[in-house]
Amino acid sequence: MKKKIWMSLCLLFLTTATAFACDICGCGVGSYYLGILPEYNKRFIGLRYQHKSLTTHLGPFGERTPLTSEETYQSMEVWGGWNVGSRFRILAFVPYNFNRRESQAETGSKNGLGDVAVMAYYKLFDQSATVGGRLLVQSLWIGGGVKAPTGKYEPSERLAVVESPNNFQLGTASTDFTLNAAYDIRYNDLGMNANVNYKMNTENKYDYRYGNKFTGNVLVYYKFRVADALTIAPNAGVLYESAAKDVENKKYDVAVSGGYSLSAVAGIEVSAKKVSFGANYQNVRAQDLAGGRVNAGNRVMVHVSLPF
């Protein structure tokens, strides 16, 4: 058992350490933060709402300028999961995005369908044992996925914002692929959940390729069980995102792109027999985005899901 635990932790560490990147701080055209999935045996369907913000067009030293813009990215996402047998799991995401940008010169918005994504996982193992008179359970899932170019991409946006990241889009106009791993270990009611996602982007028909994307988070949680009918699980941890630079015409790095952010996460998950809901707050603690020309704000995510 101990050997399996160490092998699982090492696998997640190596997956994280060898990955390179994400679009700016998970905003705009794609975010693959999962966190703790709702509890379900066979299937679930639900809604997720996410709110994120960016300050763009900052000066070379991060100062505000007359061109500085405040960008807000909101999404309402239909998502669901389906366990196929005892070894396979499929997750699907259909987002509808609400983007808004405000500056001294203009105010604009874009609303519409985002890029639809599907992920498939295979369970490497799911084990339980009694340690010190308490139950120790752990599971490791690995898999991959694909993102379809269903969201609208406007090439004119890229030409208009040379000194800002190409983030104010509903989609990327590219078919992209992901590698995923999810590990959970719980000692009685105290647990740890870890997710890593590496997204490999392809070039779209406008000769633009977003930098490959990496998202990784680790959360510690504790389950309080109320009368065998309700489980309340507060959780806290960290979320790390990194970003390779975007590339134009197969060879030119986009200067105002790339970087990393590190956030502290706190949230709560509540599960009953017929419904689950949760929320978390992501407080950005460190960042270096687009060479300091972009600053990411804090983020909020809430969800509700129905197991069936």
Side-chain angles (χ1 to χ4, degrees):
M1 172 64 72
K2 290 183 178 179
K3 185 177 180 180
K4 275 276 183 102
I5 294 173
W6 281 110
M7 287 176 63
S8 304
L9 293 175
C10 287
L11 176 61
L12 283 172
F13 174 79
L14 290 172
T15 305
T16 302
T18 55
F20 298 113
C22 87
D23 65 76
I24 294 295
C25 196
C27 289
V29 286
S31 176
Y32 288 87
Y33 174 81
L34 285 181
I36 301 174
L37 289 177
E39 294 184 359
Y40 69 102
N41 292 323
K42 185 67 175 180
R43 295 174 293 265
F44 81 89
I45 189 169
L47 289 174
R48 292 203 307 178
Y49 168 79
Q50 299 185 63
H51 182 282
K52 312 165 189 177
S53 63
L54 288 177
T55 302
T56 64
H57 281 96
L58 295 173
F61 302 103
E63 73 278 10
R64 297 183 70 89
T65 73
L67 297 177
T68 296
S69 298
E70 299 293 341
E71 298 180 4
T72 302
Y73 297 88
Q74 301 179 81
S75 68
M76 184 63 73
E77 184 176 63
V78 178
W79 73 319
W82 181 24
N83 288 335
V84 183
S86 61
R87 288 284 182 177
F88 294 94
R89 169 178 291 170
I90 298 172
L91 298 175
F93 308 84
V94 182
Y96 193 92
N97 298 328
F98 305 85
N99 302 347
R100 183 173 178 82
R101 179 168 57 198
E102 298 182 2
S103 68
Q104 293 183 13
E106 64 174 350
T107 297
S109 62
K110 295 179 181 180
N111 304 332
L113 179 68
D115 287 343
V116 174
V118 177
M119 299 179 185
Y121 286 83
Y122 173 76
K123 183 168 61 177
L124 281 183
F125 61 82
D126 185 358
Q127 294 185 337
S128 61
T130 301
V131 178
R134 292 177 178 269
L135 183 65
L136 176 68
V137 296
Q138 62 166 337
S139 62
L140 175 63
W141 298 74
I142 61 171
V146 61
K147 181 193 71 62
T150 52
K152 184 178 180 180
Y153 177 91
E154 299 180 70
S156 59
E157 178 71 32
R158 168 61 188 152
L159 299 175
V161 291
V162 177
E163 295 302 320
S164 181
N166 187 19
N167 230 45
F168 201 69
Q169 304 279 3
L170 296 174
T172 65
S174 60
T175 300
D176 307 320
F177 304 92
T178 63
L179 296 175
N180 318 303
Y183 176 68
D184 190 270
I185 183 169
R186 179 168 52 87
Y187 184 60
N188 208 38
D189 290 325
L190 177 64
M192 184 193 75
N193 178 273
N195 284 276
V196 290
N197 173 279
Y198 182 57
K199 180 165 170 284
M200 299 166 287
N201 296 319
T202 65
E203 185 178 69
N204 64 26
K205 63 182 179 180
Y206 304 103
D207 299 320
Y208 194 93
R209 182 174 67 82
Y210 286 91
N212 290 342
K213 306 163 63 116
F214 173 76
T215 304
N217 70 271
V218 177
L219 296 172
V220 176
Y221 62 87
Y222 190 89
K223 292 188 174 184
F224 295 94
R225 305 180 190 276
V226 182
D228 295 326
L230 187 68
T231 300
I232 302 173
N235 57 82
V238 294
L239 166 65
Y240 176 76
E241 297 170 296
S242 64
K245 289 187 179 299
D246 300 349
V247 177
E248 288 185 293
N249 299 312
K250 296 183 173 64
K251 58 181 177 179
Y252 300 110
D253 286 348
V254 177
V256 187
S257 64
Y260 77 91
S261 70
L262 178 66
S263 301
V265 181
I268 189 168
E269 300 292 325
V270 180
S271 298
K273 291 183 178 180
K274 296 184 178 181
V275 65
S276 296
F277 61 90
N280 69 55
Y281 180 73
Q282 303 166 18
N283 177 246
V284 181
R285 307 302 300 172
Q287 59 180 296
D288 183 10
L289 302 171
R293 307 298 288 271
V294 170
N295 187 72
N298 299 327
R299 290 176 273 178
V300 174
M301 185 182 76
V302 296
H303 73 85
V304 61
S305 60
L306 303 173
F308 63 99

